[in-house]
Amino acid sequence: MKLSQFNFKLPEAQVALYPHKTKRIVKTSTGEERTFEVTRRDEARMMVLHKKSETIDMYRKDANGNPIEGEFIEFKDIVNYFDEGDTFVFNNTKVFPARLYGTKEKTDAKIEVFLLRELNEEMRLWDVLVEPARKIRIGNKLFFDDVNEMVAEVIDNTTSRGRTLRFLYDEDGQHDVFKRSLFALGEAPLPRYIIDNREVHHATEEDMEDFQCVFAEKEGAVTAPATGLHFSRELMKRMEIRGINSAFITLHCGLGNFHEIEVEDLTKHKMDSEQMHIGKEACALVNDTKRAGHHVCAIGTSVVKATETAVGTDGMMKEFDGWTNKFIFPPYEFGLADCMVANFYHPESTLMMSTAAFGGYDLVYEAYMKALKNGYMFGCFGDSLLILND
């Protein structure tokens, strides 16, 4: 397919800059009504796409199965579409505070450093992006705190914005102390389209919690698996009560998800590699679910990427520990999950392409147009799309 087939005009007002919030009205002891906003991850909208019947639902239905106009399906309603024995596959990667701000030696120029991954624990080498890159050369030193305890030296250029830093930090060789000190200086790595369009162009302490899935466990991501952000602890408990299983795999989401595609022919686009791990326990649960004829639902495009990397020719998931640069776009024959949940993503994004591959290009594009017309929100904090194989 062509890049231009995934283009559409996305109004700025429909790009979510914050997690979904709900208004609550309470009465005080004096009878006065007060309205306030609370963050409710699981009360964002969820559109439902039925692949085989090629139908799309936006509204809840009454006892006769008729849509209730204006009463939109919410994400927490997802449990109503699954039964005991079905399995959701989650990405339990954990986001770390990857965005730091420092100053360059001598000039005191302000520098943004985005940590990508640790290259060598003993030498404290990190692969990073710097901005503005033109000011940062090999041999420069960067300072990240007022007392000059956290200092880094640029030892290599990797790409136009990429650098390798060696942190000059001595705490008796204790790596965990260094990591805690480094991360204490960082902030939530919100995507640039969020940071740049907020009134204050810095993340807050609250953002670090908001940009983390409630089931996050394995540290290593520089962006959150966005669809997983919709799940609250209450919703996870409701799933458990209903008998829906949870399988956890790990794929450390990287910035490649936000890179612009520069070729019209999608077969020529190369994805960045991301580290992933799928263990024995997850394989056993998912494969037993498939053998029993129950549904396997992939929660997010990162899960689809991981499971399609690890699925065998027999349709069963295999253990995996390594890297993947799999790029999924239509047409694509999926081998593992039969259901999927994704957010509504930006035009011409690889995330939208992966969603379209799963749900079918025409039907997913129709869903996107309905989302635009009906005020759905897009992006990491946006609304979601459940794709069912019925």
Side-chain angles (χ1 to χ4, degrees):
M1 296 196 77
K2 305 298 183 183
L3 176 65
S4 55
Q5 291 176 266
F6 294 89
N7 190 22
F8 60 91
K9 186 175 182 180
L10 176 60
E12 286 185 13
Q14 283 183 250
V15 177
L17 303 181
Y18 297 91
H20 179 79
K21 296 182 184 295
T22 301
K23 289 186 178 180
R24 294 287 193 265
I25 300 175
V26 296
K27 277 190 176 182
T28 65
S29 57
T30 61
E32 180 186 359
E33 285 190 349
R34 291 185 179 176
T35 301
F36 61 98
E37 284 189 332
V38 291
T39 298
R40 287 290 183 265
R41 302 169 178 246
D42 57 12
E43 292 182 9
R45 293 188 199 177
M46 182 180 73
M47 194 180 293
V48 182
L49 185 155
H50 304 269
K51 287 174 64 174
K52 289 182 179 177
S53 62
E54 297 186 344
T55 56
I56 299 172
D57 296 330
M58 292 191 299
Y59 305 113
R60 289 171 173 158
K61 296 181 179 179
D62 60 23
N64 297 318
N66 299 313
I68 307 172
E69 198 77 18
E71 192 171 319
F72 288 97
I73 299 168
E74 295 181 351
F75 191 84
K76 62 185 179 182
D77 298 324
I78 193 171
V79 295
N80 301 329
Y81 294 88
F82 295 90
D83 297 310
E84 182 178 355
D86 293 337
T87 295
F88 284 10
V89 185
F90 295 97
N91 182 3
N92 67 357
T93 187
K94 187 175 183 179
V95 176
F96 63 90
R99 182 174 281 118
L100 285 75
Y101 298 94
T103 57
K104 184 182 173 184
E105 64 174 340
K106 298 180 182 178
T107 66
D108 283 339
K110 302 296 183 183
I111 304 297
E112 177 184 309
V113 173
F114 195 99
L115 304 173
L116 296 177
R117 62 189 178 97
E118 190 171 34
L119 300 173
N120 186 293
E121 180 177 312
E122 185 177 348
M123 297 182 65
R124 294 178 180 146
L125 298 181
W126 279 77
D127 184 18
V128 307
L129 297 176
V130 295
E131 191 71 40
R134 67 183 184 279
K135 295 184 178 181
I136 305 302
R137 297 181 174 87
I138 294 175
N140 288 158
K141 287 183 179 176
L142 306 176
F143 298 85
F144 295 97
D145 57 21
D146 295 333
V147 293
N148 296 339
E149 285 188 356
M150 189 64 68
V151 183
E153 181 182 9
V154 181
I155 66 170
D156 195 14
N157 295 334
T158 53
T159 62
S160 59
R161 292 177 56 221
R163 302 290 186 272
T164 300
L165 298 187
R166 178 173 63 222
F167 283 90
L168 311 175
Y169 183 90
D170 186 23
E171 191 62 45
D172 299 327
Q174 297 182 46
H175 183 258
D176 58 337
V177 175
F178 160 70
K179 285 280 282 287
R180 283 199 302 270
S181 299
L182 179 64
F183 288 174
L185 297 169
E187 66 179 35
L190 296 175
R192 283 249 67 103
Y193 73 83
I194 291 179
I195 286 291
D196 292 345
N197 289 288
R198 286 184 176 182
E199 289 185 15
V200 178
H201 302 319
H202 281 277
T204 64
E205 288 186 20
E206 190 179 52
D207 285 320
M208 199 63 227
E209 181 179 349
D210 290 339
F211 203 51
Q212 197 81 268
C213 297
V214 296
F215 46 78
E217 183 183 1
K218 307 294 185 182
E219 188 177 84
V222 295
T223 187
T227 306
L229 295 175
H230 289 292
F231 286 85
S232 62
R233 289 178 176 82
E234 294 78 11
L235 179 54
M236 298 291 285
K237 191 63 180 179
R238 288 178 60 207
M239 287 171 47
E240 182 183 335
I241 293 170
R242 196 175 180 92
I244 300 171
N245 303 308
S246 297
F248 296 95
I249 59 96
T250 305
L251 184 140
H252 294 313
C253 305
L255 291 185
N257 298 295
F258 301 108
H259 290 170
E260 288 188 13
I261 298 178
E262 298 178 344
V263 290
E264 175 68 3
D265 182 354
L266 296 182
T267 62
K268 296 180 180 178
H269 177 66
K270 303 299 180 185
M271 291 287 289
D272 290 353
S273 292
E274 295 167 306
Q275 191 173 14
M276 58 172 279
H277 174 80
I278 296 179
K280 182 184 297 184
E281 185 177 345
C283 288
L285 181 53
V286 168
N287 293 339
D288 286 348
T289 301
K290 290 198 70 173
R291 292 188 189 99
H294 293 296
H295 295 298
V296 173
C297 184
I299 306 300
T301 57
S302 66
V303 170
V304 165
K305 182 188 297 185
T307 55
E308 287 302 306
T309 298
V311 68
T313 54
D314 58 355
M316 296 291 136
M317 193 162 74
K318 313 298 181 185
E319 293 179 57
F320 189 98
D321 191 13
W323 297 74
T324 181
N325 63 350
K326 196 170 192 65
F327 177 30
I328 298 175
F329 60 93
Y332 182 89
E333 190 69 34
F334 287 84
L336 192 84
D338 64 312
C339 307
M340 175 189 181
V341 193
N343 278 25
F344 285 100
Y345 295 109
H346 284 69
E348 297 187 345
S349 65
T350 60
L351 307 174
M352 179 189 178
M353 293 166 188
S354 180
T355 307
F358 197 96
Y361 171 80
D362 291 334
L363 199 56
V364 168
Y365 197 85
E366 180 185 347
Y368 267 62
M369 295 306 102
K370 284 181 178 288
L372 289 170
K373 184 179 179 181
N374 289 276
Y376 283 67
M377 301 301 290
F378 286 66
C380 293
F381 288 139
D383 295 316
S384 66
L385 177 65
L386 169 62
I387 304 174
L388 301 174
N389 192 30
D390 61 7

